[in-house]
Amino acid sequence: MRQGGRIQAAIEVLEDVIERHTPAAHALRDWGKAHRFAGSKDRAAIGGIVFDALRRKSSTLWRMGLETEVTKDQAKDQGSARALVLGTMVWGWDESVDSLSAAFKEDDHSPTPISEVEKASLEGLRDLSMAPDWIRADVPEWIWPAFTNNFGENAVAEGQAMLARPHLDLRVNSLKTDRKSALVKLKAFGGEAARLSPMGIRVKAGSKLDRLPNIQSDPVFLMGEVEIQDVGSQVVSMLADAKPGETVLDYCAGGGGKTLALAADMKGE
């Protein structure tokens, strides 16, 4: 697929998300099943656009001159999915209106040409610094009072800190290996020692067409030497200070990641 086709696909996926409230991962899966010709790189690019667009939904729609809280019936008429994708390509993927227009002309599967109104919005007529705080933080308006109650004067900065693509955090299984050995095996993926966890390894997220590695198909994961776990959860497990021979009740276990971390701290005893 060319760029224009990928952009049109991202618009279609976001229309499904906005109009039918389909979870983004499910919408991407359904689109992929209906378009078997799309390769893995195409699906990754489309997914990157969709998730980048959703992270900055409020600010992008505001800059595009659209209401951010649209009803199901209004969503398609206001073109919010299209606006989200165009704004993401310009402000998140460093495309210009001219480069997008050229890409659209090269591909029959592209969206319709960019209008003069869209061009004016994309060229920055609305200064984001003038937007309400919840828009600048890209936090839904309904949750903003609770958000500011938690973070006070740092609320905007806290919201903006959540807009980047998430890194891939791994926890080394100390029952099978150590971090030094695991780092050697993960060198090709760009793995680095995590700052807050002595058993943590972080693979930094990229941008645009960059993809995180499919670590679940790699021998280091298949052999149980590393687990996928956010550094925050690793720190929580460490603070429990579980020792070998103790009995520990993980009263709030979900997938069991922290339970496994506790078991490693207890040397399996």
Side-chain angles (χ1 to χ4, degrees):
M1 296 176 67
R2 297 182 181 181
Q3 185 185 43
R6 290 173 171 177
I7 290 174
Q8 176 59 32
I11 293 173
E12 293 172 7
V13 172
L14 281 169
E15 285 175 347
D16 190 12
V17 173
I18 294 171
E19 295 176 40
R20 288 176 285 279
H21 305 291
T22 305
H26 293 179
L28 285 162
R29 177 201 62 197
D30 293 344
W31 186 94
K33 288 182 177 179
H35 301 81
R36 298 286 186 179
F37 60 84
S40 60
K41 290 183 179 180
D42 296 320
R43 294 194 298 272
I46 295 163
I49 296 170
V50 167
F51 284 115
D52 284 350
L54 290 173
R55 288 186 188 99
R56 299 178 181 271
K57 178 183 176 184
S58 297
S59 63
T60 299
L61 290 181
W62 188 87
R63 294 175 78 173
M64 292 296 290
L66 294 179
E67 295 295 330
T68 56
E69 299 296 335
V70 295
T71 67
K72 181 178 179 180
D73 294 333
Q74 292 172 324
K76 190 170 183 179
D77 293 338
Q78 293 197 21
S80 54
R82 175 183 168 95
L84 277 173
V85 172
L86 293 179
T88 298
M89 297 308 297
V90 171
W91 297 312
W93 287 50
D94 299 323
E95 295 286 346
S96 66
V97 173
D98 290 341
S99 67
L100 289 177
S101 296
F104 291 1
K105 290 179 180 179
E106 295 173 355
D107 189 350
D108 293 338
H109 301 287
S110 298
T112 56
I114 297 173
S115 69
E116 289 300 317
V117 172
E118 290 171 331
K119 180 179 179 181
S121 296
L122 292 168
E123 290 179 344
L125 294 183
R126 303 195 80 182
D127 185 354
L128 191 57
S129 65
M130 303 300 293
D133 286 348
W134 66 272
I135 294 284
R136 293 194 296 123
D138 268 295
V139 171
E141 185 177 14
W142 63 268
I143 204 173
W144 186 242
F147 204 81
T148 55
N149 184 60
N150 282 331
F151 296 114
E153 62 182 17
N154 297 319
V156 172
E158 290 286 348
Q160 292 175 345
M162 294 191 290
L163 299 181
R165 293 183 182 183
H167 305 299
L168 173 63
D169 286 343
L170 305 169
R171 177 183 56 78
V172 176
N173 181 0
S174 60
L175 296 178
K176 293 199 171 186
T177 188
D178 55 50
R179 184 161 71 173
K180 183 177 180 180
S181 299
L183 281 169
V184 172
K185 296 180 180 180
L186 292 166
K187 183 178 181 180
F189 298 134
E192 300 177 354
R195 184 170 59 88
L196 296 178
S197 169
M199 301 308 293
I201 293 177
R202 169 163 288 182
V203 179
K204 292 184 178 179
S207 61
K208 301 182 186 179
L209 295 175
D210 295 332
R211 293 186 292 173
L212 286 170
N214 181 16
I215 196 68
Q216 289 170 298
S217 65
D218 192 83
V220 71
F221 179 86
L222 295 174
M223 296 302 293
E225 295 181 12
V226 298
E227 295 279 346
I228 298 173
Q229 186 176 48
D230 288 341
V231 166
S233 293
Q234 295 181 39
V235 171
V236 168
S237 304
M238 291 164 48
L239 291 174
D241 196 27
K243 300 288 194 239
E246 294 182 339
T247 299
V248 177
L249 171 63
D250 189 348
Y251 190 70
C252 194
K258 287 185 286 294
T259 309
L260 290 174
L262 291 168
D265 289 342
M266 299 169 73
K267 311 299 183 186
E269 300 176 11

